[in-house]
Amino acid sequence: MNLLHCPSEPLIDFIFVHGLGGGSRKTWSKTASVSHFWPQQWLPTDPAFENVRVHSFGYDSDWLKGGQNCLDIHHFGKSLLGELATSPHLNTVDTPIVFLGHSMGGLVIKKAYLQARQDATYDLLTKRIHSIYFLATPHRGSDSAKVLHNILQFAFSSRLYVTDLKRGSIAIQSINDEFRNYSLDINLWSFYETQSLKMGVFSTRIVDPDSAVLGYRGEKQIPMHADHRSICKFETLTDPNYILLRNALASTVSAISELRLKSNETLRHSQLKDLAKYLRVSEKPEDDLTAVEDARMSDTCQWLLAKKSYIQWSNFATKVPRVLWLNGKPAAGKSVLTGYAIGQLQQRKADCSYFFFRHGNKSKLRLSACLRSLAFQMACTDIHVRETLSEIQKNGTMLDYDNEVTVWRRLFLSGIFHAKFPEHFWIIDALDECVDFASFFGSLLAKLPESIPLRILITSRDTFQLEKHFSSLGILQFSSENISAADTFPDIKHFVETKAKSLLLKSAAHRTALIEKILGKSSGSFLWTALVLGELSNSHSEAEMNEVLDELPRDMGPLYQRTLDSMSHGVRGKSLAKAILIWASTAIRPLNTEELNGALKIDLKDDFPRLEESIVALCGQLVIIDRAGRVQMVHGTATEFLTNSDSDSEFAINKVEAHTRIARACLSYLTGEEMRPPRTCRRGSALRPASPKAQFSLYACESVSYHLARADPFAKDLLILVDSFLKSNILSWIEAVAKTQNVSPLIDGARHLGMYLSSSSAEWSSVGPEKQRIKGWTTDLTRIAAKFSDALITSPSAIYSIIPAFCPSESTVFRTAGPRRRLAIVGLSPAQWDDRLSSISFHGDRATAVCFGDGVLAVGLRSGTVVLYHAVSCQEHNFLAHGESVRFLQFASKSNLMASCGWKMIRVWDLCSGDMTHSFQAPPQVVDLAFDASLLIVATLKNYLVSWDLDREGSRQPERPWNESGKHMNTPSHRAPCVVSISVSHKMLAVAYIGQPIMLWDLAEDSYYGSCGKKQPNGETSTFRITGLVFNPDRNTGLLAASYLDGQLALLDPFDDQELESFRANLQTLTASPDGRLLAGGVGSGTIHVYEFDSLRLLYRVKSFDIYITQLAFSTDGLRLADIRGSLCNVWEPKILPWNSVNVGTSGRSLTSIVDGVASDTEIKISAMVLHQEGGVVFCGKDDGSVAVYEIRSGIQVQTLYRHKVLVRIITCWHRNWIIMSVDISNNIIARRLKKTQTEGWTAEETLFQSRLECGAAIIQALPGEAAGNFILSTRQSDHLWSIDGHLKKTRDCSDRPGVRKWVQHQQSPLHVMCIELGVAVRVYAWSDWSEVASVPLDVDGFGLELKSVIPYMSGLNPRVLLELSERDGSAYTRGLHLLDAADFSTDAKSAKKVDPSTTTVIEETNPTPPEEDVTAPAVSVPLLGPQLAALAHRVSHIIGLSPAGPLVFLDRSSWVCSVDLADLDRVSISYARHFFVPYDWFSGARNVIGAVVRRDVLLARNDDVAVVKAGLDFVETVALEVDGREG
């Protein structure tokens, strides 16, 4: 690929591909002069193409050169595709691509496009291809190619691509058949020659018009007054042919530009929609801004613009603090002033984000909500920020939504602040109403990089705590401005003068006097002034007005009390007024009028048709309705007065009583008929229309548990309602929560139920059924959120029938669903929840290292392999060959790099490609490994650090020694450390030596820092041997945990050498969660402890296999924990971890008890399965070597037939002959005769043969041939034909083309077998002597892929073969599906064709046809339904099975069992059925899904159980399938 021109801002790419005998330059040049090379010289100077980047692609098509050339169009297409994928100018952008191909170049473009469409790796590339220009392209071949072919034969030379160009050639037929199916989305332009080309004494048209056009709908067909050569070469810019082509190209550029503008806007809306969901920004920020703007009168707040501090701040003046704090008294108009400042910045077109903390809205009380909103607003205004956040989302980065530090790190420090964005303003109102504002200073503002172009305006009350926190920043970081009464006096005066015009007064003098009186008492309070004017407006005489002014107090508290006293004098509406005040002051967010109406209807059991008028009349002084219809308290001070004062008013609010009343209303709704679950959830129930819910429904669902946790725990009626809700309608509540696409309320609900249970235990019996039910749901809600969140979000109705079926039989949710409603699953043994998500066993190997990355779990083995698993599902994803025992693994943050370290080598891997990017010789005795930005750092037992800069081609940096005292700076210590811990966040190194305190080394200064350790009773630092050290990763938390050999666990402040906590824990290994919240340790007995890091409070413990734990690692989100011990890697999902990540709020009561985890130590797993439907059983091989038989009806294991010594890899049956054969990982083969009797059941005592295949490669397939009594064993390098009596009859060596071949029984002849080689051929052999009787070329591009499975079946009377492909030597996930017509694979020898495996060229068995005869070439097996299956393949993870008369059943990428009728895929609109979700842990640690289909039942292996999902295919939800590029 040659870059011809690159503009400063490329928006479109042109790629020129030459034809037969041409070149990347000479094809497009009239003469040898550079001035005639029009793609490089003419297009870049044309304004129409100012943003077009130009490339040319060249390949060897010079037929005049001597020698043989085995390349054809297929290989040229691969070459072009490879160049497109690796070009640095093309592979990192999303610019639309326009191809221009001359002659054979057009065929090369078509072939490359087809290859890309059939490989999901190139999805992004194919979507960029906008147009293809064909210049004299022989779509149907050319007769001139036949002449050229004869000339080359005469010259004893050959060119395969010339054969491809002959009219009617196999290659052209194949390309045309497929291209029609994929070309719908591409703009096609076909230019054809009308003049003959002179060749010596002859002249002819090389490509006839009928061959130069495709004849597709929408294709633009244009004749050119040119011959085959001059159609792409031009004399001058005024050449009519050039003008014709140039104008066409210009129209394409114009169309792309318009499309790109629309696409960019569509993309923007789509990205922002996804980000709003990802960041959980549900409310529009502008709603709060609109409310305060409505409250501001014109010509007010202008005094702010004259303040020097504000002028300098808003102008981004240099040497001015980035933070401006505006503070004032309560009700001084700070929020209105905030709105004014925002409006001023917006008028200047400045980028501005803002947030209003609100006391009455629980969703606007936390700093994390503020940060998420600011991030979203920045994404709205800046494309770079938007793309950065979108990338974070695409990478699967999980957010702890209520943890402000995690949000700050992951969204800002690791994301937004690395994007290039212009000057930006943050404006934050009412910071004093934020419940965790302290974090805003220590964790955020103090660490804000100076280079970030950000200015922050904060408004709040002037409190001692806030002043203290602001002062901690230093005078260089902030400036403050107090909002004085003098500042607001002109605004209040304007406000009073305007409102006083409507008061009934005798004269202007009286009005002036009244105004002066009000202003004299206002003391700078807008709210006081507004309330006074409200009372005055209800006065009917001047005397009453004067009386009001004389009686009105100056402070807000007494003013509120006066308002309540006035309300008490009312005759009617008191109960409604009290209810309104309770809901407005206590609800977690403001309700709109319709929601409040629904709440009051339940609360007061009455209707209120004119609620808005009632609110104004009864509570108008204390409650307002904003423009958005939200009902809320007039000010935070009003809420504080109502709920915190000692007032004896009948309207004063007791918090507990208020929460009890709201909880009662929510529960009354949730237990009502409207929330009743559906009666049935069978076929099609997932598509049942949603019944309309009351407006109050959303609030009741999202807040019921919050109010319950704060309600009166001794209210008997509330307990009855809770019990009724948990017995009847809780599944409907879970469905309603899931419909919001956020399942965190389930975790909140579990915690709140636990709080309610704990509070009420003193009053009510803890053994009663109500309490047991509450206790059960506190566990189940957390488990459901952890294990089934994806399923719930995909299909919320799955909670009724699907999810309960996969829960333990003794769980509360399982019993609540009931047998008539839930899916029926038999064969499962777990009765209780298991905290272990996965137990991965490495048979014959040992786990030596473990680490989590973003979305990845890596396990290093003693054999030198690093196995990669998906962090969520724990399914095997890929593996890397380190080459020696792996000692350490470490992931780099914010990148796809991982380092593996052995005794001799350190290797760095790019996990996206699976490629090794760097390889370094390891220094002697490495003891720790860490990434610091682009540096890879290792610590050694020789007391020095070695590092490599990965941004500088892995250049090794100077060694950095350390020693115990720092006296000899460049001399390492001579003592060998026992433990070393590198802390990148603290820039510190902690080193423990035998007989010494812990030594600290400052990595930033490369100097000795000091020592620390556990303190002895005499005050001295302990020198006892240390077994584990770990810093808290949070740079703002200066803590170090140390475990000692005497069993003590100590929490240290290493920087001040203080012991904060210590006790006996007997831990041998330590690790910390990435956010620094948790500390985990392994006890020698196989027990894991999880502590709160900053307090060492034990939160959780679980005991499993009594094997020494060598390493522990937390997942990046802190929700999972992995350990390695012996040959096992266990992945835990403790239920306490989701609770730890969810904040209840400042008034919540937390759980303090220790949670003991549950682990079922089941090591045995099923490793292979085969059905014997006639016997009603399934035979299973296991990883302990046993072969067992299970009943299909019940899933119960009824017998163990026999045993291998190691894991059984393959198991198969001769159904008619009742023979079972199994193969283990040592290539031992056992075949036995099956027998079934009424007394003994199933037995397999008669051994037909037992042998071992000695070939140096693992057996990957065993296929029986019952008719001939033979079977085939296949490895990647050879195939072996055996007889059933154990004799090896024949061996075929395939070492010249090693890979996965699949053998399958011929569907039309029991005496024949087919061998399928991807991208080569389908060969037919006789079972008797393994002689080849037929061979058909297979036109399936298998580049980078291998056969995963081959499934033969009958579609009516038509035999079909379905190919399932996966990555070669990579992930086992399905990467392609291809359907073959098996009728092509005849056993008739007369139609046989031979295939050269190296070229896939078809060679006739008979004598070659004379060149002058026009003979149609033999057919190629072309896959059916290409676009449809390509679209389906994107959804498929693993194929489970295909029953003889049923659909194809598969597991999709989200772990749903789905099915599709392959016969229906040729319809105009196609879809597949989604049936049920399978928990990720069922397949964790496995490379493939082991299962089968029996009629409507689905069998799945889980550990050593066979789970039978009865009538699982009867639960149906239809999913539409989008097919790209299909005509019709």
Side-chain angles (χ1 to χ4, degrees), residues 769-789:
E770 300 94 344
K771 292 301 181 70
Q772 292 303 313
R773 193 170 290 109
I774 295 173
K775 185 177 180 180
W777 277 111
T778 59
T779 297
D780 288 7
L781 286 174
T782 306
R783 299 293 189 173
I784 290 170
K787 288 184 178 290
F788 301 101
S789 59

Side-chain angles (χ1 to χ4, degrees), residues 32-54:
S33 173
V34 175
S35 63
H36 277 120
F37 188 22
W38 63 270
Q40 186 179 51
Q41 300 298 319
W42 298 359
L43 289 183
T45 60
D46 191 327
F49 306 101
E50 64 177 340
N51 295 117
V52 175
R53 182 167 43 202
V54 185

Side-chain angles (χ1 to χ4, degrees), residues 72 131 160 181 233 262 287 337 469 559 590 718 822 881 920 928 946 976 1035 1065 1067 1103 1143 1244 1264 1299 1469 1493 1510:
D72 56 9
S131 300
L160 289 179
N181 294 323
K233 308 170 190 277
K262 294 179 181 178
D287 286 347
L337 185 64
H469 283 296
L559 182 59
L718 201 60
R822 67 172 178 261
F920 311 116
D928 200 10
V946 180
R1035 71 180 64 188
L1067 302 181
K1103 178 175 175 58
N1143 253 310
S1469 61
V1493 183
K1510 293 289 188 180

Side-chain angles (χ1 to χ4, degrees), residues 461-480:
R461 303 183 199 183
D462 183 7
T463 68
F464 172 76
Q465 287 295 332
L466 277 171
E467 185 175 359
K468 178 180 176 183
H469 283 296
F470 272 109
S471 298
S472 68
L473 297 177
I475 58 174
L476 298 179
Q477 292 294 320
F478 89 103
S479 61
S480 65

